């Protein structure tokens, strides 16, 4: 029930006094976006003014925007890598931040095949926690009664490593789940999970998933929302249920736990809810044994009101499959964040995936926006770009996000392309358009054109002894399989048909490509099981000429036509598939270890 109208917010009637406070905070931040941005920049420059990096640019103690923009260059990760490497190697002087770098957050973006290392400081956890604390007060405006049940969220930690200087390097969510902010969070009736902390924090992905699924099945009647971080993660959970329901129902029927779950903390926490329940076991087994798994989510968890998953950007490819398994339940995209910074939240979380817009919270960092023109030749140090402030962006225009953070990133290009859709008070709202230069993505992986080209070149070396070469290629992220996988279409020139490469050789080409891809991709294949084996589909000779003819028939210029290195348009995929003469898969896992290459 909404609280007294005295506490009401322009966003809507809050569910409780705590929500009212959170909604007032959102209103205060967004009403004064430009003033808060000015204050944030001054705080960052005042605190970090004596760092080695900022001292290079001789700001002279000035903390205003004009001086900052005229003196500090716009940079990418490669520009900052020498400083980051020094910190990683153990240099504890004030290079980027006046406060100690507490750890590195590993980005899903890569540099030279390795995850990017994003410096962070302890207080950033408070900033992230603040944004998390705003999500349910907004959701409660749209979905009442969430305090009457639980959330079934499939959450996981990933492998972490240490830099040569002893700092932890791990994904941002692993850092958060292992922090006291998460582990000792106060009880909140609107934010109760079926998954015990011990299951979430178990590093073994099978044991973690098994325990979380088992707990979710026992508490099926209490589940009001089902989620994971990404859409791909939720589909992996459904696939896991499909593969393991017989063992899960055995455990429910007997009140015993699968011996494959060996982690003592996980066994202990699951034992607290484990009990023989033949009726539940029969119900789950009956549903899972049916030929059709359409609406399986609402069949197993009948009170589910929505799915809490990211389905924007590359994750949009999973929407039809999610709709199939959930019967078209609403999909809530609640926040916009990255390893570099947490940016903002969705003030209309029940909007359709194609209409999701995120409101940037101006207290999180200092934000600038580089007008995005795909036909622009770029810029140099001699002709720097003109960046736009948060409050000055224009509706309908696209921008690349540039951030300055408390932790020591200054005018850093994140690589996200955003389109302005409107404003909430004076804070702009953005639709995520895409990640700059990303060609293929299944889960957290991001593969660009240069990397794909290198992988094709490396794999094609195996064809040389057969006097065979790759004439043309393109690619496709196949999200219909669970997990999804990369599909590479190859047109080959075979100069000696009697000595053409065998199926085994082409299978090895798949593995050679995987070995050439970045560490995030290889981790997804080896440790996270979030990406399936790479597939090469060999097409008939002349297929890519047909592809060009098709493009020209649709208005492409024959003089400017270039073979697309990634395709998603259904008629083009169908054309390519109709010309396939052989199909090959990677025969084994690529090499991957948590340690970074030195």
């Amino acid at each position: 029930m909404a609280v007294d109208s005295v506490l009401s917010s322009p966003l809507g009637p809050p569910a409780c006094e705590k929500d009212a406070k959170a909604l007032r905070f959102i209103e205060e931040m967004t009403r004064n976006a430009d003033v808060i941005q000015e204050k944030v920049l001054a705080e960052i420059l005042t605190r970090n003014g004596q760092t080695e990096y900022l001292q290079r640019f001789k700001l002279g103690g000035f903390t205003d925007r004009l001086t900052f923009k005229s003196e500090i260059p716009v940079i990418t990760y490669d520009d900052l890598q020498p400083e980051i490497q020094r910190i990683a190697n153990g240099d504890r002087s004030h290079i980027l931040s006046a406060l100690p770098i507490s750890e590195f957050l590993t980005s899903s973006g890569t540099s030279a095949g390795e995850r990017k290392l994003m410096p962070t400081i302890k207080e950033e956890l408070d900033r992230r926690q603040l944004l998390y604390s705003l999500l349910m007060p907004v959701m409660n405006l749209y979905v009442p009664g969430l305090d009457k049940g639980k959330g079934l969220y499939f959450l996981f930690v990933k492998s972490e490593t240490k830099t040569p200087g002893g700092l932890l390097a791990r994904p941002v969510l692993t850092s958060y789940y292992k922090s006291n902010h998460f582990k000792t969070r106060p009880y909140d009736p609107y934010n109760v999970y079926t998954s015990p902390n011990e299951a979430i924090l178990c590093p073994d992905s099978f044991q973690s998933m098994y325990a979380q699924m088992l707990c979710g099945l026992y508490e099926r009647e209490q589940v009001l929302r089902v989620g994971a971080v990404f859409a791909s993660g939720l589909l992996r959970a459904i696939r896991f249920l499909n593969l393991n329901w017989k063992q899960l129902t055995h455990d429910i029927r007997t009140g015993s736990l699968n011996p494959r779950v060996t982690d003592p903390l996980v066994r202990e926490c699951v034992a607290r809810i484990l009990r023989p329940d033949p009726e539940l076991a029969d119900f789950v087994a009956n549903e899972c044994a049916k030929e059709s798994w359409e609406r399986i989510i609402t069949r197993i968890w009948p009170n589910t009101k929505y799915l809490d998953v990211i389905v924007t950007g590359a994750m949009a490819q999973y929407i039809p499959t999610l709709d199939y398994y959930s019967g078209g339940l609403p999909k809530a995209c609640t926040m916009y964040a990255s390893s570099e910074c947490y940016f903002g939240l969705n003030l209309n979380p029940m909007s359709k995936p194609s209409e999701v817009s995120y409101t940037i919270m101006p207290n999180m960092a200092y934000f600038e926006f580089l007008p995005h023109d795909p036909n622009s030749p770029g810029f140099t140090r001699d002709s720097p770009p003109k960046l736009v402030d948060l409050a000055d962006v224009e509706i309908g225009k696209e921008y690349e996000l540039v951030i300055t953070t408390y932790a020591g990133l200054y005018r850093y290009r994140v690589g996200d392309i955003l389109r302005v859709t409107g404003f909430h008070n004076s804070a702009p709202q953005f639709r995520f358009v895409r990640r700059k230069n990303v060609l293929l993505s299944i889960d957290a992986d991001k593969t660009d054109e240069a990397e794909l080209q290198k992988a094709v070149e490396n794999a094609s070396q195996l064809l040389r002894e057969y006097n065979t070469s790759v004439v043309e290629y393109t690619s496709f992220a196949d999200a219909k399989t669970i997990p999804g996988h990369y599909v590479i279409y190859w047109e080959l020139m075979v100069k000696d048909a009697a000595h053409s490469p065998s199926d085994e050789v082409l299978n090895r080409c798949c593995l050679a490509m995987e070995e050439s891809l970045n560490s995030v991709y290889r981790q997804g294949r080896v440790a996270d099981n979030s990406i399936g084996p790479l597939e090469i589909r060999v097409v008939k000779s002349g297929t890519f000429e047909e592809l060009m003819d098709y493009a020209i028939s649709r208005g492409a210029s024959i003089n400017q036509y270039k073979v697309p290195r990634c395709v998603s348009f259904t008629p083009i995929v169908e054309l390519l598939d109709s010309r396939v003469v052989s199909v090959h898969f990677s025969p084994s896992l690529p090499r991957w270890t948590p340690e970074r290459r030195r």
Side-chain angles (χ1 to χ4, degrees):
M1 185 179 292
V3 298
D4 192 274
S5 59
V6 173
L7 298 175
S8 191
S9 156
L11 288 166
C16 59
E17 190 169 346
K18 183 180 171 187
D19 281 13
K21 184 179 177 183
L23 298 177
R24 281 199 303 270
F25 178 79
I26 292 171
E27 286 300 297
E28 182 186 335
M29 291 295 107
T30 56
R31 270 199 217 103
N32 305 297
D34 196 49
V35 172
I36 289 164
Q37 280 283 276
E38 198 166 28
K39 180 185 169 196
V40 165
L41 180 62
E43 283 178 358
I44 293 171
L45 296 181
T46 300
R47 177 194 291 178
N48 295 335
Q50 297 304 309
T51 57
E52 179 186 318
Y53 184 83
L54 287 180
Q55 283 287 299
R56 285 179 205 160
F57 304 105
K58 304 189 182 343
L59 291 175
F62 286 99
T63 60
D64 62 286
R65 282 191 271 207
L66 190 58
T67 306
F68 175 72
K69 288 171 181 279
S70 63
E71 300 300 330
I72 306 296
V74 176
I75 60 166
T76 64
Y77 184 82
D78 289 343
D79 296 317
L80 206 56
Q81 197 161 20
E83 285 76 18
I84 286 174
Q85 198 58 54
R86 282 172 55 200
I87 298 168
N89 288 342
D91 190 333
R92 296 292 179 264
S93 59
H94 297 162
I95 299 172
L96 296 173
S97 168
L99 293 178
I101 300 300
S102 55
E103 63 181 318
F104 284 109
L105 303 177
T106 53
S107 168
S108 57
T110 58
S111 176
E114 293 293 326
R115 285 180 181 267
K116 295 175 182 176
L117 295 176
M118 296 299 161
T120 192
I121 54 180
K122 280 185 178 174
E123 73 170 40
E124 279 299 310
L125 272 169
D126 298 328
R127 216 166 268 113
R128 288 181 217 125
Q129 180 61 42
L130 173 62
L131 194 60
Y132 281 126
S133 74
L134 304 177
L135 303 183
M136 288 311 294
V138 172
M139 184 60 74
N140 291 337
L141 296 173
Y142 293 86
V143 185
L146 292 175
D147 57 332
K148 303 297 188 289
K150 298 185 178 184
L152 169 53
Y153 283 81
F154 296 97
L155 307 175
F156 304 92
V157 295
K158 296 196 176 182
S159 60
E160 57 188 42
T161 187
K162 282 196 173 181
T163 67
L167 286 175
L168 277 172
R170 54 192 180 180
V172 63
L173 289 174
T174 297
S175 171
Y176 176 66
Y177 297 149
K178 288 190 170 185
S179 74
N180 287 332
H181 285 75
F182 181 79
K183 291 193 293 187
T184 61
R185 61 195 183 277
Y187 174 77
D188 177 356
Y190 291 94
N191 228 339
V192 179
Y193 298 151
T194 57
S195 296
N197 284 357
E198 295 87 345
I200 293 169
L201 295 171
C202 176
D204 182 276
S205 60
F206 175 87
Q207 295 183 58
S208 176
M209 179 77 87
Y210 194 93
Q212 293 188 59
M213 184 65 75
L214 189 60
C215 293
L217 291 172
Y218 268 111
E219 302 195 76
R220 59 178 289 268
E221 296 284 356
Q222 296 183 60
V223 170
L224 299 182
R225 56 197 193 278
V226 175
V229 178
F230 293 115
S232 55
L234 182 53
L235 290 177
R236 280 202 308 280
I238 298 302
R239 175 65 173 161
F240 185 91
L241 179 61
N242 183 270
L243 294 173
N244 294 281
W245 64 265
K246 289 181 181 177
Q247 180 65 48
L248 286 159
T249 53
H250 171 271
D251 290 4
I252 294 169
R253 189 179 310 281
T254 60
S256 60
L257 182 57
N258 185 344
R260 283 187 66 185
V261 179
T262 57
D263 186 306
L265 292 176
V266 175
R267 293 191 69 86
E268 184 184 334
C269 75
V270 173
R272 292 196 286 268
I273 65 140
L274 205 58
R275 65 189 182 279
D277 192 335
E279 187 179 341
L280 174 60
D282 287 344
F283 170 80
V284 175
N286 182 54
E287 290 298 330
C288 291
K290 290 177 181 174
E291 186 175 341
S292 171
W293 271 48
E294 187 173 2
R295 298 188 306 101
I296 192 67
I297 292 174
T298 48
R299 280 156 48 190
I300 299 285
W301 296 283
N303 299 314
T304 307
K305 298 186 177 189
Y306 65 92
L307 306 180
D308 191 345
V309 285
I310 294 171
V311 288
T312 50
M315 291 297 123
Q317 62 192 323
Y318 297 108
I319 291 171
T321 314
L322 283 175
D323 283 342
Y324 175 80
Y325 286 131
S326 73
L329 279 176
K331 288 160 285 294
C333 298
T334 55
M335 67 184 292
Y336 173 36
S338 76
S339 304
E340 295 91 337
C341 178
Y342 278 30
F343 307 117
L345 70 165
N346 183 0
L347 295 180
N348 183 12
M350 288 290 105
S351 57
K352 294 178 184 175
S354 60
E355 297 170 2
V356 168
S357 290
Y358 299 103
T359 302
I360 300 288
M361 290 298 286
N363 58 306
M364 298 304 291
Y366 178 64
F367 301 103
E368 296 176 273
F369 298 87
L370 176 61
H372 178 63
D373 178 2
N375 301 313
S376 168
F379 62 87
T380 65
R381 291 289 170 93
D382 297 327
S383 60
K386 288 191 172 143
L387 272 63
V388 179
D389 281 326
L390 180 70
D392 297 329
V393 296
E394 297 178 45
I395 293 175
K397 291 196 173 177
E398 291 186 1
Y399 300 88
E400 181 183 345
L401 181 58
V402 177
I403 59 171
T404 296
T405 68
Y406 287 90
L409 297 177
Y410 305 97
R411 307 199 88 191
Y412 178 86
R413 295 176 71 170
V414 174
D416 289 0
I417 306 300
L418 310 175
R419 181 181 300 121
V420 187
T421 56
F423 284 80
H424 180 73
N425 296 323
S426 63
Q429 298 177 305
F430 294 92
R431 186 161 301 148
F432 179 90
V433 177
R434 62 183 172 84
R435 183 81 178 169
K436 193 176 179 187
N437 298 328
V438 170
L439 212 58
L440 290 169
S441 179
I442 290 293
D443 189 56
D445 55 300
K446 296 178 175 67
T447 298
D448 63 25
E449 186 169 339
E451 193 170 19
L452 183 63
Q453 172 75 29
K454 186 70 174 171
V456 170
E457 287 172 0
N458 289 347
S460 63
Q461 301 289 323
L462 298 175
L463 304 176
R464 280 188 172 180
E465 64 178 284
Y466 302 95
N467 218 359
T468 297
S469 58
V470 178
V471 177
E472 272 301 356
Y473 72 90
T474 189
S475 63
F476 167 59
D478 188 350
K480 290 187 175 66
T481 60
I482 302 175
H485 70 292
Y486 289 9
V487 175
I488 316 298
Y489 295 94
W490 273 9
E491 184 175 322
L492 300 178
M493 180 184 290
V494 182
K495 293 181 180 171
D496 181 2
H499 189 54
S500 61
S502 65
D503 283 352
E504 183 192 355
V505 170
L506 288 162
N507 289 342
R508 284 196 288 127
C509 286
C510 295
L511 180 58
M513 284 198 68
E514 292 198 302
E515 294 279 9
S516 302
L517 294 174
N518 63 64
S519 65
V520 180
Y521 173 90
R522 287 180 283 115
Q523 179 178 343
R525 281 279 285 123
V526 177
D528 303 337
N529 301 313
S530 59
I531 304 171
L534 183 141
E535 176 184 2
I536 290 176
R537 297 178 187 172
V538 178
V539 297
K540 291 178 184 174
S541 180
T543 295
F544 279 83
E545 283 191 32
E546 291 185 61
L547 199 63
M548 180 177 73
D549 291 342
Y550 179 81
I552 290 167
S553 74
R554 289 176 54 85
S557 163
I558 191 166
N559 295 317
Q560 294 179 306
Y561 176 78
K562 290 191 299 184
V563 174
R565 291 308 179 205
C566 181
V567 295
S568 57
F569 186 48
T570 300
I572 291 179
V573 174
E574 289 175 348
L575 187 156
L576 288 164
D577 282 340
S578 71
R579 305 296 188 269
V580 171
V581 294
S582 64
V583 172
H584 312 273
F585 287 92
S586 191
S588 59
L589 294 169
R591 285 166 296 188
W592 175 83
T593 60
E595 287 74 32
R596 296 172 61 81
R597 292 172 186 157
R598 299 287 182 256

